Amino acid sequence: MPIGEFCNRSVVFATRKTSIAEAAQLMREYHVGDLVVVDVLDGKHMPIGIVTDRDIVVEIVAKSLDYNTFTVGDIMSHNSSACRKAKACSRPYA
């Protein structure tokens, strides 16, 4: 089955310089639990990672850190991968 048949095409973006407060506000506004982190190169969004609401809680809130001193780039997960919507999904997901 092609990934495009079940993936979410409405993606909310942030950059590594996005503040933690702004990231949380974007998640709330768009009712999502993660943001794709991008670099903008030649006007195109190039995915470089992802940040989740859990990242904010575990890395900042649970440690009682000042969220104003961090950006998305400080806590995002790297090594994300992307694929075309026509690519077949070879592994079943539950």
Side-chain angles (χ1 to χ4, degrees), residues 29-60:
E29 179 180 347
Y30 291 99
H31 305 283
V32 296
D34 57 68
L35 304 172
V36 174
V37 184
V38 299
D39 277 342
V40 180
L41 302 170
D42 297 325
K44 295 182 181 181
H45 292 113
M46 303 301 295
I48 58 167
I50 192 165
V51 65
T52 68
D53 50 2
R54 186 174 189 280
D55 293 330
I56 294 171
V57 170
V58 170
E59 297 299 325
I60 297 176

PDB file of all heavy atoms in Angstrom, residues 29-60:
ATOM      1  N   GLU A  29      -2.610  25.433  18.386  1.00  0.00           N
ATOM      2  CA  GLU A  29      -3.431  26.045  17.344  1.00  0.00           C
ATOM      3  C   GLU A  29      -3.867  25.031  16.293  1.00  0.00           C
ATOM      4  O   GLU A  29      -5.007  25.049  15.833  1.00  0.00           O
ATOM      5  CB  GLU A  29      -2.647  27.168  16.666  1.00  0.00           C
ATOM      6  CG  GLU A  29      -3.396  27.850  15.544  1.00  0.00           C
ATOM      7  CD  GLU A  29      -2.604  28.964  14.894  1.00  0.00           C
ATOM      8  OE1 GLU A  29      -1.569  29.391  15.445  1.00  0.00           O
ATOM      9  OE2 GLU A  29      -3.021  29.408  13.811  1.00  0.00           O
ATOM     10  N   TYR A  30      -2.952  24.136  15.908  1.00  0.00           N
ATOM     11  CA  TYR A  30      -3.250  23.181  14.844  1.00  0.00           C
ATOM     12  C   TYR A  30      -3.625  21.797  15.357  1.00  0.00           C
ATOM     13  O   TYR A  30      -3.799  20.870  14.571  1.00  0.00           O
ATOM     14  CB  TYR A  30      -2.062  23.096  13.884  1.00  0.00           C
ATOM     15  CG  TYR A  30      -1.902  24.371  13.093  1.00  0.00           C
ATOM     16  CD1 TYR A  30      -0.974  25.331  13.481  1.00  0.00           C
ATOM     17  CD2 TYR A  30      -2.698  24.635  11.988  1.00  0.00           C
ATOM     18  CE1 TYR A  30      -0.830  26.516  12.778  1.00  0.00           C
ATOM     19  CE2 TYR A  30      -2.566  25.813  11.280  1.00  0.00           C
ATOM     20  CZ  TYR A  30      -1.632  26.754  11.673  1.00  0.00           C
ATOM     21  OH  TYR A  30      -1.504  27.927  10.974  1.00  0.00           O
ATOM     22  N   HIS A  31      -3.741  21.655  16.675  1.00  0.00           N
ATOM     23  CA  HIS A  31      -4.154  20.387  17.297  1.00  0.00           C
ATOM     24  C   HIS A  31      -3.264  19.229  16.852  1.00  0.00           C
ATOM     25  O   HIS A  31      -3.744  18.184  16.404  1.00  0.00           O
ATOM     26  CB  HIS A  31      -5.628  20.085  16.999  1.00  0.00           C
ATOM     27  CG  HIS A  31      -6.551  21.185  17.385  1.00  0.00           C
ATOM     28  ND1 HIS A  31      -6.915  21.418  18.692  1.00  0.00           N
ATOM     29  CD2 HIS A  31      -7.156  22.146  16.643  1.00  0.00           C
ATOM     30  CE1 HIS A  31      -7.713  22.473  18.733  1.00  0.00           C
ATOM     31  NE2 HIS A  31      -7.879  22.929  17.505  1.00  0.00           N
ATOM     32  N   VAL A  32      -1.956  19.427  16.962  1.00  0.00           N
ATOM     33  CA  VAL A  32      -0.993  18.389  16.609  1.00  0.00           C
ATOM     34  C   VAL A  32      -0.046  18.161  17.775  1.00  0.00           C
ATOM     35  O   VAL A  32       0.105  19.010  18.650  1.00  0.00           O
ATOM     36  CB  VAL A  32      -0.182  18.760  15.342  1.00  0.00           C
ATOM     37  CG1 VAL A  32      -1.088  18.864  14.125  1.00  0.00           C
ATOM     38  CG2 VAL A  32       0.606  20.050  15.534  1.00  0.00           C
ATOM     39  N   GLY A  33       0.598  17.014  17.785  1.00  0.00           N
ATOM     40  CA  GLY A  33       1.535  16.683  18.846  1.00  0.00           C
ATOM     41  C   GLY A  33       2.981  16.756  18.411  1.00  0.00           C
ATOM     42  O   GLY A  33       3.880  16.437  19.182  1.00  0.00           O
ATOM     43  N   ASP A  34       3.207  17.165  17.152  1.00  0.00           N
ATOM     44  CA  ASP A  34       4.575  17.286  16.683  1.00  0.00           C
ATOM     45  C   ASP A  34       4.678  18.324  15.577  1.00  0.00           C
ATOM     46  O   ASP A  34       3.686  18.692  14.955  1.00  0.00           O
ATOM     47  CB  ASP A  34       5.106  15.941  16.183  1.00  0.00           C
ATOM     48  CG  ASP A  34       4.228  15.363  15.080  1.00  0.00           C
ATOM     49  OD1 ASP A  34       4.197  15.941  13.977  1.00  0.00           O
ATOM     50  OD2 ASP A  34       3.587  14.325  15.313  1.00  0.00           O
ATOM     51  N   LEU A  35       5.884  18.794  15.359  1.00  0.00           N
ATOM     52  CA  LEU A  35       6.182  19.737  14.293  1.00  0.00           C
ATOM     53  C   LEU A  35       7.368  19.202  13.505  1.00  0.00           C
ATOM     54  O   LEU A  35       8.341  18.726  14.102  1.00  0.00           O
ATOM     55  CB  LEU A  35       6.563  21.110  14.858  1.00  0.00           C
ATOM     56  CG  LEU A  35       5.567  21.797  15.789  1.00  0.00           C
ATOM     57  CD1 LEU A  35       6.195  23.036  16.409  1.00  0.00           C
ATOM     58  CD2 LEU A  35       4.299  22.162  15.037  1.00  0.00           C
ATOM     59  N   VAL A  36       7.290  19.277  12.198  1.00  0.00           N
ATOM     60  CA  VAL A  36       8.435  18.926  11.367  1.00  0.00           C
ATOM     61  C   VAL A  36       9.374  20.133  11.380  1.00  0.00           C
ATOM     62  O   VAL A  36       8.947  21.262  11.130  1.00  0.00           O
ATOM     63  CB  VAL A  36       7.999  18.583   9.926  1.00  0.00           C
ATOM     64  CG1 VAL A  36       9.215  18.364   9.037  1.00  0.00           C
ATOM     65  CG2 VAL A  36       7.096  17.353   9.924  1.00  0.00           C
ATOM     66  N   VAL A  37      10.620  19.890  11.706  1.00  0.00           N
ATOM     67  CA  VAL A  37      11.609  20.966  11.757  1.00  0.00           C
ATOM     68  C   VAL A  37      12.291  21.027  10.391  1.00  0.00           C
ATOM     69  O   VAL A  37      12.734  20.004   9.860  1.00  0.00           O
ATOM     70  CB  VAL A  37      12.648  20.729  12.866  1.00  0.00           C
ATOM     71  CG1 VAL A  37      13.610  21.904  12.957  1.00  0.00           C
ATOM     72  CG2 VAL A  37      11.949  20.511  14.208  1.00  0.00           C
ATOM     73  N   VAL A  38      12.333  22.228   9.832  1.00  0.00           N
ATOM     74  CA  VAL A  38      12.874  22.401   8.491  1.00  0.00           C
ATOM     75  C   VAL A  38      13.938  23.489   8.455  1.00  0.00           C
ATOM     76  O   VAL A  38      13.954  24.392   9.283  1.00  0.00           O
ATOM     77  CB  VAL A  38      11.762  22.768   7.468  1.00  0.00           C
ATOM     78  CG1 VAL A  38      10.714  21.670   7.385  1.00  0.00           C
ATOM     79  CG2 VAL A  38      11.104  24.102   7.803  1.00  0.00           C
ATOM     80  N   ASP A  39      14.817  23.360   7.488  1.00  0.00           N
ATOM     81  CA  ASP A  39      15.681  24.460   7.066  1.00  0.00           C
ATOM     82  C   ASP A  39      15.087  24.942   5.755  1.00  0.00           C
ATOM     83  O   ASP A  39      14.573  24.127   4.972  1.00  0.00           O
ATOM     84  CB  ASP A  39      17.114  23.993   6.816  1.00  0.00           C
ATOM     85  CG  ASP A  39      17.951  23.911   8.086  1.00  0.00           C
ATOM     86  OD1 ASP A  39      17.560  24.528   9.099  1.00  0.00           O
ATOM     87  OD2 ASP A  39      18.989  23.231   8.057  1.00  0.00           O
ATOM     88  N   VAL A  40      15.142  26.233   5.516  1.00  0.00           N
ATOM     89  CA  VAL A  40      14.640  26.770   4.258  1.00  0.00           C
ATOM     90  C   VAL A  40      15.849  27.023   3.354  1.00  0.00           C
ATOM     91  O   VAL A  40      16.708  27.840   3.662  1.00  0.00           O
ATOM     92  CB  VAL A  40      13.818  28.055   4.471  1.00  0.00           C
ATOM     93  CG1 VAL A  40      13.313  28.590   3.152  1.00  0.00           C
ATOM     94  CG2 VAL A  40      12.664  27.793   5.426  1.00  0.00           C
ATOM     95  N   LEU A  41      15.925  26.268   2.259  1.00  0.00           N
ATOM     96  CA  LEU A  41      17.025  26.370   1.317  1.00  0.00           C
ATOM     97  C   LEU A  41      16.467  26.698  -0.057  1.00  0.00           C
ATOM     98  O   LEU A  41      15.645  25.937  -0.583  1.00  0.00           O
ATOM     99  CB  LEU A  41      17.816  25.055   1.251  1.00  0.00           C
ATOM    100  CG  LEU A  41      18.412  24.572   2.574  1.00  0.00           C
ATOM    101  CD1 LEU A  41      18.945  23.166   2.430  1.00  0.00           C
ATOM    102  CD2 LEU A  41      19.516  25.506   3.011  1.00  0.00           C
ATOM    103  N   ASP A  42      16.874  27.811  -0.602  1.00  0.00           N
ATOM    104  CA  ASP A  42      16.388  28.258  -1.913  1.00  0.00           C
ATOM    105  C   ASP A  42      14.863  28.299  -1.953  1.00  0.00           C
ATOM    106  O   ASP A  42      14.242  27.914  -2.942  1.00  0.00           O
ATOM    107  CB  ASP A  42      16.923  27.353  -3.024  1.00  0.00           C
ATOM    108  CG  ASP A  42      18.438  27.387  -3.141  1.00  0.00           C
ATOM    109  OD1 ASP A  42      19.020  28.475  -2.905  1.00  0.00           O
ATOM    110  OD2 ASP A  42      19.041  26.341  -3.446  1.00  0.00           O
ATOM    111  N   GLY A  43      14.255  28.723  -0.845  1.00  0.00           N
ATOM    112  CA  GLY A  43      12.808  28.848  -0.777  1.00  0.00           C
ATOM    113  C   GLY A  43      12.058  27.545  -0.561  1.00  0.00           C
ATOM    114  O   GLY A  43      10.831  27.530  -0.560  1.00  0.00           O
ATOM    115  N   LYS A  44      12.773  26.443  -0.377  1.00  0.00           N
ATOM    116  CA  LYS A  44      12.130  25.141  -0.178  1.00  0.00           C
ATOM    117  C   LYS A  44      12.342  24.670   1.254  1.00  0.00           C
ATOM    118  O   LYS A  44      13.408  24.859   1.831  1.00  0.00           O
ATOM    119  CB  LYS A  44      12.702  24.100  -1.141  1.00  0.00           C
ATOM    120  CG  LYS A  44      12.418  24.405  -2.584  1.00  0.00           C
ATOM    121  CD  LYS A  44      12.971  23.320  -3.468  1.00  0.00           C
ATOM    122  CE  LYS A  44      12.705  23.662  -4.927  1.00  0.00           C
ATOM    123  NZ  LYS A  44      13.213  22.627  -5.819  1.00  0.00           N
ATOM    124  N   HIS A  45      11.310  24.041   1.816  1.00  0.00           N
ATOM    125  CA  HIS A  45      11.406  23.468   3.160  1.00  0.00           C
ATOM    126  C   HIS A  45      12.092  22.111   3.073  1.00  0.00           C
ATOM    127  O   HIS A  45      11.566  21.191   2.451  1.00  0.00           O
ATOM    128  CB  HIS A  45      10.014  23.300   3.777  1.00  0.00           C
ATOM    129  CG  HIS A  45       9.343  24.587   4.083  1.00  0.00           C
ATOM    130  ND1 HIS A  45       8.223  25.020   3.427  1.00  0.00           N
ATOM    131  CD2 HIS A  45       9.644  25.551   4.974  1.00  0.00           C
ATOM    132  CE1 HIS A  45       7.851  26.187   3.908  1.00  0.00           C
ATOM    133  NE2 HIS A  45       8.707  26.537   4.847  1.00  0.00           N
ATOM    134  N   MET A  46      13.221  21.987   3.730  1.00  0.00           N
ATOM    135  CA  MET A  46      13.964  20.730   3.762  1.00  0.00           C
ATOM    136  C   MET A  46      13.883  20.156   5.171  1.00  0.00           C
ATOM    137  O   MET A  46      14.425  20.743   6.115  1.00  0.00           O
ATOM    138  CB  MET A  46      15.431  20.959   3.381  1.00  0.00           C
ATOM    139  CG  MET A  46      15.612  21.611   2.011  1.00  0.00           C
ATOM    140  SD  MET A  46      14.913  20.672   0.647  1.00  0.00           S
ATOM    141  CE  MET A  46      15.921  19.232   0.673  1.00  0.00           C
ATOM    142  N   PRO A  47      13.182  19.027   5.356  1.00  0.00           N
ATOM    143  CA  PRO A  47      13.047  18.451   6.697  1.00  0.00           C
ATOM    144  C   PRO A  47      14.402  18.047   7.276  1.00  0.00           C
ATOM    145  O   PRO A  47      15.212  17.433   6.593  1.00  0.00           O
ATOM    146  CB  PRO A  47      12.182  17.208   6.477  1.00  0.00           C
ATOM    147  CG  PRO A  47      11.602  17.347   5.112  1.00  0.00           C
ATOM    148  CD  PRO A  47      12.509  18.230   4.338  1.00  0.00           C
ATOM    149  N   ILE A  48      14.621  18.427   8.529  1.00  0.00           N
ATOM    150  CA  ILE A  48      15.878  18.080   9.205  1.00  0.00           C
ATOM    151  C   ILE A  48      15.633  17.375  10.540  1.00  0.00           C
ATOM    152  O   ILE A  48      16.573  16.892  11.170  1.00  0.00           O
ATOM    153  CB  ILE A  48      16.761  19.320   9.437  1.00  0.00           C
ATOM    154  CG1 ILE A  48      16.019  20.366  10.266  1.00  0.00           C
ATOM    155  CG2 ILE A  48      17.254  19.888   8.122  1.00  0.00           C
ATOM    156  CD1 ILE A  48      16.897  21.462  10.812  1.00  0.00           C
ATOM    157  N   GLY A  49      14.391  17.333  10.981  1.00  0.00           N
ATOM    158  CA  GLY A  49      14.101  16.695  12.256  1.00  0.00           C
ATOM    159  C   GLY A  49      12.645  16.856  12.630  1.00  0.00           C
ATOM    160  O   GLY A  49      11.820  17.303  11.834  1.00  0.00           O
ATOM    161  N   ILE A  50      12.353  16.504  13.868  1.00  0.00           N
ATOM    162  CA  ILE A  50      10.985  16.598  14.383  1.00  0.00           C
ATOM    163  C   ILE A  50      11.055  16.948  15.865  1.00  0.00           C
ATOM    164  O   ILE A  50      12.014  16.577  16.557  1.00  0.00           O
ATOM    165  CB  ILE A  50      10.215  15.278  14.156  1.00  0.00           C
ATOM    166  CG1 ILE A  50       8.731  15.457  14.414  1.00  0.00           C
ATOM    167  CG2 ILE A  50      10.808  14.141  14.970  1.00  0.00           C
ATOM    168  CD1 ILE A  50       7.866  14.340  13.871  1.00  0.00           C
ATOM    169  N   VAL A  51      10.073  17.681  16.339  1.00  0.00           N
ATOM    170  CA  VAL A  51       9.956  17.972  17.768  1.00  0.00           C
ATOM    171  C   VAL A  51       8.527  17.631  18.173  1.00  0.00           C
ATOM    172  O   VAL A  51       7.580  17.911  17.440  1.00  0.00           O
ATOM    173  CB  VAL A  51      10.320  19.437  18.108  1.00  0.00           C
ATOM    174  CG1 VAL A  51       9.352  20.422  17.507  1.00  0.00           C
ATOM    175  CG2 VAL A  51      10.432  19.633  19.608  1.00  0.00           C
ATOM    176  N   THR A  52       8.401  16.986  19.313  1.00  0.00           N
ATOM    177  CA  THR A  52       7.086  16.555  19.787  1.00  0.00           C
ATOM    178  C   THR A  52       6.726  17.256  21.095  1.00  0.00           C
ATOM    179  O   THR A  52       7.597  17.803  21.780  1.00  0.00           O
ATOM    180  CB  THR A  52       7.049  15.032  20.024  1.00  0.00           C
ATOM    181  OG1 THR A  52       7.903  14.719  21.129  1.00  0.00           O
ATOM    182  CG2 THR A  52       7.488  14.255  18.786  1.00  0.00           C
ATOM    183  N   ASP A  53       5.447  17.181  21.425  1.00  0.00           N
ATOM    184  CA  ASP A  53       5.018  17.726  22.708  1.00  0.00           C
ATOM    185  C   ASP A  53       5.712  16.985  23.854  1.00  0.00           C
ATOM    186  O   ASP A  53       6.080  17.574  24.867  1.00  0.00           O
ATOM    187  CB  ASP A  53       3.500  17.706  22.857  1.00  0.00           C
ATOM    188  CG  ASP A  53       2.850  16.368  22.544  1.00  0.00           C
ATOM    189  OD1 ASP A  53       3.554  15.377  22.226  1.00  0.00           O
ATOM    190  OD2 ASP A  53       1.604  16.311  22.589  1.00  0.00           O
ATOM    191  N   ARG A  54       5.971  15.717  23.655  1.00  0.00           N
ATOM    192  CA  ARG A  54       6.682  14.930  24.664  1.00  0.00           C
ATOM    193  C   ARG A  54       8.116  15.436  24.839  1.00  0.00           C
ATOM    194  O   ARG A  54       8.646  15.473  25.954  1.00  0.00           O
ATOM    195  CB  ARG A  54       6.686  13.445  24.301  1.00  0.00           C
ATOM    196  CG  ARG A  54       7.284  12.568  25.387  1.00  0.00           C
ATOM    197  CD  ARG A  54       7.126  11.079  25.042  1.00  0.00           C
ATOM    198  NE  ARG A  54       7.503  10.260  26.179  1.00  0.00           N
ATOM    199  CZ  ARG A  54       8.757   9.972  26.520  1.00  0.00           C
ATOM    200  NH1 ARG A  54       9.769  10.447  25.813  1.00  0.00           N
ATOM    201  NH2 ARG A  54       9.020   9.208  27.569  1.00  0.00           N
ATOM    202  N   ASP A  55       8.772  15.815  23.737  1.00  0.00           N
ATOM    203  CA  ASP A  55      10.121  16.377  23.836  1.00  0.00           C
ATOM    204  C   ASP A  55      10.126  17.603  24.752  1.00  0.00           C
ATOM    205  O   ASP A  55      11.015  17.773  25.583  1.00  0.00           O
ATOM    206  CB  ASP A  55      10.647  16.796  22.461  1.00  0.00           C
ATOM    207  CG  ASP A  55      10.892  15.639  21.522  1.00  0.00           C
ATOM    208  OD1 ASP A  55      11.213  14.531  21.999  1.00  0.00           O
ATOM    209  OD2 ASP A  55      10.755  15.844  20.298  1.00  0.00           O
ATOM    210  N   ILE A  56       9.118  18.446  24.585  1.00  0.00           N
ATOM    211  CA  ILE A  56       9.028  19.661  25.414  1.00  0.00           C
ATOM    212  C   ILE A  56       8.842  19.294  26.882  1.00  0.00           C
ATOM    213  O   ILE A  56       9.509  19.836  27.763  1.00  0.00           O
ATOM    214  CB  ILE A  56       7.896  20.581  24.914  1.00  0.00           C
ATOM    215  CG1 ILE A  56       8.229  21.112  23.507  1.00  0.00           C
ATOM    216  CG2 ILE A  56       7.655  21.727  25.891  1.00  0.00           C
ATOM    217  CD1 ILE A  56       7.091  21.848  22.828  1.00  0.00           C
ATOM    218  N   VAL A  57       7.971  18.341  27.142  1.00  0.00           N
ATOM    219  CA  VAL A  57       7.691  17.943  28.527  1.00  0.00           C
ATOM    220  C   VAL A  57       8.908  17.271  29.172  1.00  0.00           C
ATOM    221  O   VAL A  57       9.328  17.645  30.264  1.00  0.00           O
ATOM    222  CB  VAL A  57       6.452  17.015  28.592  1.00  0.00           C
ATOM    223  CG1 VAL A  57       6.295  16.410  29.971  1.00  0.00           C
ATOM    224  CG2 VAL A  57       5.200  17.776  28.200  1.00  0.00           C
ATOM    225  N   VAL A  58       9.471  16.292  28.488  1.00  0.00           N
ATOM    226  CA  VAL A  58      10.561  15.508  29.072  1.00  0.00           C
ATOM    227  C   VAL A  58      11.867  16.297  29.162  1.00  0.00           C
ATOM    228  O   VAL A  58      12.577  16.215  30.162  1.00  0.00           O
ATOM    229  CB  VAL A  58      10.771  14.201  28.266  1.00  0.00           C
ATOM    230  CG1 VAL A  58      12.029  13.475  28.684  1.00  0.00           C
ATOM    231  CG2 VAL A  58       9.550  13.307  28.409  1.00  0.00           C
ATOM    232  N   GLU A  59      12.187  17.059  28.128  1.00  0.00           N
ATOM    233  CA  GLU A  59      13.472  17.746  28.090  1.00  0.00           C
ATOM    234  C   GLU A  59      13.490  19.097  28.808  1.00  0.00           C
ATOM    235  O   GLU A  59      14.551  19.558  29.207  1.00  0.00           O
ATOM    236  CB  GLU A  59      13.920  17.941  26.638  1.00  0.00           C
ATOM    237  CG  GLU A  59      14.166  16.643  25.899  1.00  0.00           C
ATOM    238  CD  GLU A  59      15.255  15.797  26.538  1.00  0.00           C
ATOM    239  OE1 GLU A  59      16.230  16.359  27.071  1.00  0.00           O
ATOM    240  OE2 GLU A  59      15.120  14.566  26.515  1.00  0.00           O
ATOM    241  N   ILE A  60      12.317  19.718  28.970  1.00  0.00           N
ATOM    242  CA  ILE A  60      12.307  21.058  29.569  1.00  0.00           C
ATOM    243  C   ILE A  60      11.424  21.123  30.810  1.00  0.00           C
ATOM    244  O   ILE A  60      11.895  21.425  31.898  1.00  0.00           O
ATOM    245  CB  ILE A  60      11.873  22.110  28.527  1.00  0.00           C
ATOM    246  CG1 ILE A  60      12.914  22.140  27.394  1.00  0.00           C
ATOM    247  CG2 ILE A  60      11.720  23.488  29.172  1.00  0.00           C
ATOM    248  CD1 ILE A  60      12.589  23.043  26.261  1.00  0.00           C
TER     249      ILE A  60
END
